[in-house]
Structures are given as C-alpha cells and as structure tokens.
Amino acid sequence: MPALAVVGTLSRDLVDGRPPRVGGAPFWAARALRVLGSPAVVAVKCADADRRLLAPPLIALGLPVLWLGGSSTATFSFSYDGDRRAMTVEALGDQWTPEDARGIDARWVHVGALSRSEFPAETVAEFDGRVSFDGQGLVRPERTGPLELDAEFDPELLRHVDVLKLAEDEARVLVGEPDEESLRSLGVPEVVVTLGSRGSMVLANGKLERVPAQPVPGKIDPTGAGDAFAAAYLVSRSGGHAPVAAARRATALVAGLLGRRLR
C-alpha cells in the first residue's frame, strides 16, 4: 500500500492567453512529489478526447497513474497580478463516485477537488486511509462563468476529512477571519490555511500557529502552488512529522519550485 494517493480531475488551464496546458491537483502535486522523490500513486479523470493533450506531461513525471476516464474535462482561464488571480470556469469535470473511491488504496489520500460537484460526501466517505481535502471542493459552486466563491457546501462532507487545506480567500468565505476559534468551528482535526507569499497557518491539537515564508523575488506564476504545498505537507505528515514542521517543509519546497519558474 503506498503512503499517499493524490486523487482529482485533470484540467485544461488557459493562462494569460497562452495555449492550453495541463493543470489540476494531480499534476501539480506530482511535480512536487517528483522533486521530493516520494513514492505515491496519482488517480485522475478527464475526457478521453483530452487525454492526448493532458497525459504526456503527467506521465513524464514518473509516478504511477490510475486513469479513470471521463466524459468532460474541467477547463479554467486565469490571469494573475502577483498573488491575486482572476479566474473563469469554462467547463466542469466529472463527478467522482463511491465506486471510484473504493478503487484507491493508500494510507493517506489527498482529494484535489476543483469544484463542489466533483466529490460529494458519500464519495469522500469511501476513501480508505486518512483523508486530506482541498477547500476548493467546498467553496466553488457547480457552475461556469467568472468564479464566485460561496459557503453553500454539504457539512456532512467534513465528517470524513482529517486534514482540510484552504487558501486564504477560501477560509474567509467559510469562516470570516481565519483565527483559532473560527477554524476550530469547522470540526476538522487539522486545518492548514495557505497565505501565498506570507506563508501559512496550521490548526492542530486545538492550537493555531503561523508559519512564515521567504518571499520569492520577481513576477511569478503561482498556479499549482497550493497543490504542491498539499503534497509536500502530506509527505511529511505520513513520514511522522508534526503538522507545523510539515508546513515548514512544504513552504520551503513551494518557494523552491516557484523560484525555478523564474529561471
């Protein structure tokens, strides 16, 4: 049984008017896992018609890939101004079923949801092992058009989650100011809030701690940074590191990956 499985839908990402490129949690997490040299399995969905475009960059990273097929591919268009991102949902991906989840066996499973429609509570309940969940699957509604976040998620889903990874804007949609009391109200044992160039916050064992980051100079494209952070964090957690130590290691890895994009 592998220590970690990353599960999610591949996406077609359209960034600043350039040609389509592969995206989604499985791809960006796999890049981090390759740098770390950590064994893991990646389980993905996308439309069969898009596999020729999306498969080669993922396969080239050298991790085992479980292809589940699909009828649609999540598609997003992005533009960036520093850490700030404007995003439009062009198409939604397929829903993952409980049967899909039962076919994935790992001690830790990171669910890289891209929208609320992809991983319903009954599917998340079927994953074996400890479950990490990306907050995009709570706050991104099931619709196309300019992305507008809301908190209309099914609270039953969080009963099956051990680690919740949130971006700062997602945390504010869910709880307002992301402080110790508000994050604890989510009822998840471990909550990690990424703050972009300012680092992250980790709620674990009832205590909230801040983890600073070294700024990466220059103009960067932060697409996938959160997915890379989640992968590195879970590699450390599955290896026995405490939550705050895992966040420090993940922060350092993401800074290194973003720095490479500037060269």
Side-chain angles (χ1 to χ4, degrees):
M1 178 187 296
L4 175 62
V6 179
V7 177
T9 300
L10 291 179
S11 65
R12 294 173 71 252
D13 287 356
L14 312 172
V15 181
D16 287 332
R18 296 192 292 270
R21 71 183 190 192
V22 62
F27 174 70
W28 296 110
R31 290 181 76 245
L33 292 166
R34 182 182 184 182
V35 171
L36 291 167
S38 300
V41 63
V42 178
V44 301
K45 284 190 175 188
C46 70
D48 292 337
D50 289 316
R51 186 165 169 175
R52 180 175 295 182
L53 168 69
L54 304 181
L58 177 60
I59 292 172
L61 296 173
L63 274 69
V65 179
L66 175 63
W67 292 92
L68 277 72
S71 60
S72 63
T73 299
T75 304
F76 307 100
S77 57
F78 303 91
S79 61
Y80 287 100
D81 180 10
D83 282 350
R84 299 180 64 83
R85 175 174 70 177
M87 175 178 170
T88 298
V89 181
E90 308 289 349
L92 296 168
D94 290 317
Q95 185 176 98
W96 289 66
T97 68
E99 182 179 6
D100 295 331
R102 287 191 289 269
I104 297 162
D105 193 18
R107 290 190 286 113
W108 289 74
V109 177
H110 178 59
V111 180
L114 294 174
S115 73
R116 207 152 51 215
S117 61
E118 290 182 350
F119 289 94
E122 57 267 27
T123 297
V124 178
E126 292 296 327
F127 285 113
D128 198 11
R130 301 186 67 179
V131 174
S132 166
F133 193 83
D134 194 304
Q136 294 175 158
L138 301 181
V139 301
R140 289 185 178 181
E142 186 180 358
R143 61 173 178 260
T144 57
L147 180 64
E148 297 179 0
L149 308 182
D150 66 50
E152 301 301 316
F153 70 97
D154 178 4
E156 175 69 14
L157 188 151
L158 292 182
R159 291 185 57 246
H160 312 293
V161 173
D162 299 286
V163 179
L164 178 62
K165 201 285 291 181
L166 300 170
E168 184 176 13
D169 58 344
E170 296 161 357
R172 291 186 181 280
V173 167
L174 292 176
V175 300
E177 182 64 28
D179 55 25
E180 187 171 299
E181 181 179 359
S182 65
L183 293 174
R184 194 185 299 123
S185 72
L186 293 169
V188 178
E190 209 166 305
V191 182
V192 181
V193 181
T194 56
L195 306 171
S197 59
R198 293 178 288 117
S200 63
M201 298 187 294
V202 181
L203 176 72
N205 302 314
K207 181 180 179 181
L208 183 66
E209 296 190 53
R210 183 76 174 262
V211 177
Q214 292 294 326
V216 178
K219 184 178 181 180
I220 61 171
D221 173 4
T223 305
D227 301 313
F229 182 100
Y233 182 85
L234 293 177
V235 165
S236 293
R237 292 291 287 120
S238 65
H241 290 274
V244 172
R248 290 194 186 102
R249 290 164 63 92
T251 297
L253 175 96
V254 170
L257 288 174
L258 292 177
R260 290 183 187 186
R261 295 186 196 176
L262 297 175
R263 300 190 185 113

